[in-house]
Every structure is written in C-alpha cells, then in structure tokens.
DNA sequence: ATCCCGTTGTGATCCGGCTCACAGCCGGTC
DNA sequence: GACCGGCTGTGAGCCGGATCACAACGGGAT
C-alpha cells in the first residue's frame, strides 16, 4: 500500500535527524556527521529488531513505518508499551546507560530506520549540551508516560483503560467522517488488548457494550468514535 | 527514637551533595555554591511535601528520614512508587521539564531535606556536562524501575508481586537473625499493600499462607524471611 | 470459486481478589 | 489500670475478567 522506501539519500538522512526533536539546536556539522555514519535498516512487518535483555548499542530513528515497543511475560504474553512513528527516536535507554534493553522492538508495519551507532552518538553527546538537554527532556516525557501507565494499571479497570486508549488514539490518529472520528490506525482487537494487558475477548465485549450505547460504531475492524465525551467520562473512575 | 537532626551545618550540606551520585565529578565550587543556597526543610512523619499536579521548582536531597513517593487514584486510593532514603535525590522530573509534578511526596518518617531551587540548579546544569550525564543516568535508572513496575502489574498476580517486593526488601533492608532475614523497615500490611496496588486483607492472607509453609515467620508486625529461594520461585510466574 | 487463516462475536464456567463485617491485639496515653 | 486508635486476622459473598470452546465472517492466494 504505502510506497516502499528502500533507500534514503544523504540529504534525506540529514533532514530526518534535523527534524527529530532531540537534534534541535545541535551543531549542524555534528548532526550531518551522524547522518553520514548512520546505517539504514529496513524491516518487514513482523520482523524483530531487538529483544529485552539484548545489549543495546544503537539508537533508532523511524523514517518510515511503525515499530511496536513491548515487554514479554509468562506464557508468551506480551504488553505493548508504545508505537514508534516516523520522526520518533527510540532505544535511547540502553544506549545511554550501557545496560541491556528493557523492552523488545518489532516492526508493526514495513519500516525504514536510521541506526545510529553508540560511539559517534556519545561523542556528540559529550560535546554538545543541547543534545544532553533534549535527551533529558525526552527521558522526562517517557517517565511521565510510564507513570501514567502505572496509574492506569493500578486504578482503572478494563473499561477505563480501554476508554482512555481509544480517546488517545482518536486524538492522535482520528479522521473526521460524517459518522464520527474514525481511528486511522488499523488495530485488531488483539493488538488493542495487548496495549492494555487484557484479553481480546474482554475488549470485544466492551467495544460492543459501547456500540450498543452508540458511543462507538464498529465497522469491519475499524472503530469510529461517535461520542468522545462519553469515552472521556468512562475513563474517569467516576461511573455513569 | 532516631536522633532528630533539626539543622545541618554548611560542611554537612556540602558533604551530602557531594556524596550524592548526581554530583559526582561535578565542579566542586559549583556544588558548594548550590549547598550554600540550598534550604533546609524538616518534616514530621505524615507531613506532605508536594502533590501530583503542583508546579515543581525544586529538587530534594534526603539528609535524614524517609519520603514516600506516591500517586493517587479514585476514592482516595494510593499507590506507593518508591521510598527515598538518606542520600537519595528526588523531584527531578518536574524540575527538569518545567511541567507539573507527576507524583506526590509525603514524609514516611521524620525527615530533614535539602531543597535546591530551580534556577541555581539549572545554571550548574547548563555549564557542567557531568551533571547532565549523571542526570541522564538517574533518569535511565528510574525508567528501568518503572518498566519493571509495569511488567509486574501486567504479568504477575498478588502472590508474585508480593514475593518480589519482599525479596527486594529483604535484600535492601534485611538483618540476619537466627530465624532468617528480618526485614528492617517497619512496614504495616497496609503500607505493603499500597506498594503493590492490592488490599491489605489480601496481603495478610498471602503472608499467612507463606507462614504456614515456613517461607516466612510473622512476629508482631515484623516479617522474617526463612526461605528466600521459595520467595524467588514464587516471584517467577512458574508456579510451585 | 475454493481454501485458508486471521479476525470477530459470544456464551459457559471458574477463580483471584475486592468489599464488607467483625473480632482480637498491642501500644500509648490519661 | 482503663480507654482508644491503629494494626492484624479471618470469614462470607460478590464480581470482573480470564479461560475455554466454538461459530461465523472476510479477504488473499491459487
């Protein structure tokens, strides 16, 4: 469907890095140097990039596609923590502290990634205070997200967590249609369930409960949000 | 019981900051300057320091006592995320990104804290790459902890989470006695429950289940671990 | 058109943990 | 000592979601 981007010219690489938030205001020559030594890596949907526990000596920038960041539990269970989109950077934790990867990463769609090696990156980090500053901001943002996730697990049931997630998806990837906000990302109910740490069946039942109340409309795998306010309310622990 | 430390001399302040991991290798004059402008703040057990949502314009270093870091949910429920001990630093997220506090902080024992104001701290941060580097490492460590917490919530039941927590507490605060590893921190079952996001009753029942199997011994509010290996096993999702 | 395989839809059953309701207990305080 | 407030111990009942087991659907490949 999407045009495959199998290669990236030098100019495109520079653009990608410069466009990324963490390299804003960083010395341009240094960024260009990084762009020069970066590897291009393409992945097909479903292909594995790295696993929890691996040594992590690279930082990734998404040029194209979608990468699922997840952790695994007993019996093959998986919890999806985030989806990385074009322009996003990930893999910074293990790169920065030199320990093993805390999560796994898998292509959720065909992808093109820029791979920045550890040593050239750390070299720029050592000399450029702006990069350090932006990395700190990135890490703070991640911390806030993580804390939110913990809060959701601790205080909300399936219904509340699903409501929040749909609300978030509708805002981030919603397309306005006459029926309501259509959620752009094609997510199966199983994938949705994996983002919430619940079963697919339970998600299915809650979606239909909302469809019955006209909060949502379900149309062959796509979800259309008809009543954002009701979702918002359901996400609050104050029940209706 | 503990000797109250109501004041800290200039020398002690410097020592505290220098001993803190984030100020290692940072220009000594700068650290001393920070120590000079830092405020001393004492708190009695139960006293509130800041709340989720507040503006956060200070960094705290624990000189003495214990600070509980927590988030709140519906109906007054609380989840304890961490306990800060002497030598620990906290409150960095809101300080660094300028947004509101992600957590609340309450004294879990009488405390003496050093309060570093935003602007002098950021000034040193701007000029000293080592401080930035250490902050990045601190944030990475927090991220790892958070990810672990999420994993626990997603994949472990009460039994597994409690086993892990006790194991951790025994290692961090265990005192060897003839009966086994006595957990030093005086934690009520409610406090334990708050660290796991479960009810006090459920914790009580699991503790007694283990006591019956001689994994633990319960002695007037104190927990003695008799069989660390069994705890470790219970923390694995592979059941015994 | 046919065959698949991944997805959706839905009931039956089971179980962990919550809620509620008390009953000792232990340590302080007056 | 007598009283009180916070902790501990424990049972009854309930409920949200997991598990299991199918049925039906839809879209791609051949």
């Amino acid at each position: 469907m999407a045009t495959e981007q199998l290669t990236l010219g030098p100019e495109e690489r520079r653009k990608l890095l410069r466009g990324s938030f963490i390299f804003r205001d960083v010395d341009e020559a240094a960024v260009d140097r990084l762009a020069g030594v970066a590897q291009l890596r393409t992945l097909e949907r479903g292909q594995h990039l790295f696993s929890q526990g691996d040594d992590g000596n690279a930082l990734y920038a998404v040029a194209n596609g979608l990468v699922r960041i997840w952790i695994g539990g007993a019996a093959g269970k998986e919890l999806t923590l985030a989806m990385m989109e074009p322009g996003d950077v990930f893999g910074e934790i293990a790169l920065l502290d030199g320990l093993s990867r805390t999560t796994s990463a898998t292509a959720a769609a065909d992808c093109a990634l820029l791979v920045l090696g550890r040593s050239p990156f750390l070299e720029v980090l050592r000399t450029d205070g702006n990069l350090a500053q932006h990395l700190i901001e990135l890490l703070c943002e991640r911390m806030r997200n993580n804390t939110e996730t913990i809060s959701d697990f601790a205080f909300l049931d399936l219904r509340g967590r699903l409501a929040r997630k749909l609300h978030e998806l509708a805002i981030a990837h919603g397309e306005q249609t006459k029926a309501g906000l259509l959620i752009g990302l094609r997510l199966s109910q199983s994938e949705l369930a994996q983002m919430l740490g619940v079963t697919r069946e339970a998600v299915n039942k809650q979606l239909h409960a909302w469809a019955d109340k006209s909060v949502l409309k379900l149309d062959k795998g796509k979800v259309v949000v008809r009543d954002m306010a009701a979702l918002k309310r359901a996400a609050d622990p104050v029940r209706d």
Side-chain angles (χ1 to χ4, degrees), chain A:
Chain A
M1 171 152 295
T3 48
E4 286 291 340
Q5 185 86 38
L6 290 171
T7 174
L8 285 176
E11 187 46 43
E12 287 161 297
R13 291 169 179 223
R14 276 201 291 273
K15 261 211 186 126
L16 179 63
L17 289 195
R18 286 204 194 143
S20 170
F21 147 80
I22 62 168
F23 293 110
R24 192 148 38 104
D25 302 326
V26 174
D27 176 58
E28 297 207 351
V31 175
D32 292 352
R33 210 159 56 241
L34 281 182
V37 298
Q39 304 281 317
L40 181 70
R41 175 94 189 259
T42 60
L43 294 172
E44 294 180 6
R45 176 178 214 276
Q47 225 179 319
H48 216 54
L49 185 58
F50 57 72
S51 296
Q52 230 172 322
D54 287 355
D55 287 340
N57 36 24
L59 181 75
Y60 300 89
V62 183
N64 218 297
L66 207 57
V67 178
R68 187 169 74 99
I69 305 296
W70 56 279
I71 54 179
K77 286 181 193 177
E78 299 180 359
L79 179 75
T80 300
L81 295 176
M83 299 293 263
M84 294 300 170
E85 302 175 23
D88 286 341
V89 153
F90 67 94
E92 71 286 348
I93 310 272
L95 183 101
L96 287 168
D97 69 9
L99 302 178
S100 61
R101 309 232 81 123
T102 57
T103 64
S104 303
T106 303
D110 293 349
C111 288
L113 308 175
L114 224 45
V115 185
L116 300 188
R118 182 193 195 83
S119 37
F121 182 83
L122 291 186
E123 199 176 306
V124 177
L125 175 59
R126 228 173 289 117
T127 56
D128 196 310
N130 283 325
L131 179 54
Q133 184 56 37
H134 290 319
L135 277 174
I136 285 174
E137 284 164 41
L138 176 67
L139 289 168
C140 284
E141 197 196 315
R142 299 262 148 103
M143 281 294 300
R144 285 176 185 272
N145 271 331
N146 266 228
T147 304
E148 274 289 292
T149 302
I150 292 172
S151 178
D152 289 351
F153 267 104
F155 301 127
L156 297 180
D157 57 12
L158 177 151
R159 181 191 139 96
R161 303 221 290 287
L162 182 53
R164 273 174 61 84
K165 182 56 77 179
L166 288 178
H167 187 86
E168 177 193 320
L169 288 170
I171 287 173
H173 301 273
E175 300 161 21
Q176 194 58 249
T177 70
K178 65 263 161 231
L181 259 183
L182 179 132
I183 292 180
L185 234 47
R186 225 180 262 73
L187 282 177
S188 74
Q189 295 178 357
S190 318
E191 291 170 312
L192 213 40
Q194 281 186 326
M195 304 177 90
L196 304 172
V198 297
T199 60
R200 183 221 110 217
E201 291 92 326
V203 166
N204 181 285
K205 283 162 191 171
Q206 183 60 59
L207 287 178
H208 280 277
W210 278 324
D212 289 348
K213 295 204 278 173
S214 298
V215 175
L216 304 178
K217 188 158 159 295
L218 300 175
D219 183 34
K220 51 187 70 175
K222 295 234 157 193
V223 175
V224 180
V225 181
R226 314 188 75 161
D227 186 349
M228 282 289 269
L231 269 193
K232 191 96 186 156
R233 254 181 291 121
D236 266 7
V238 184
R239 286 309 154 84
D240 47 5

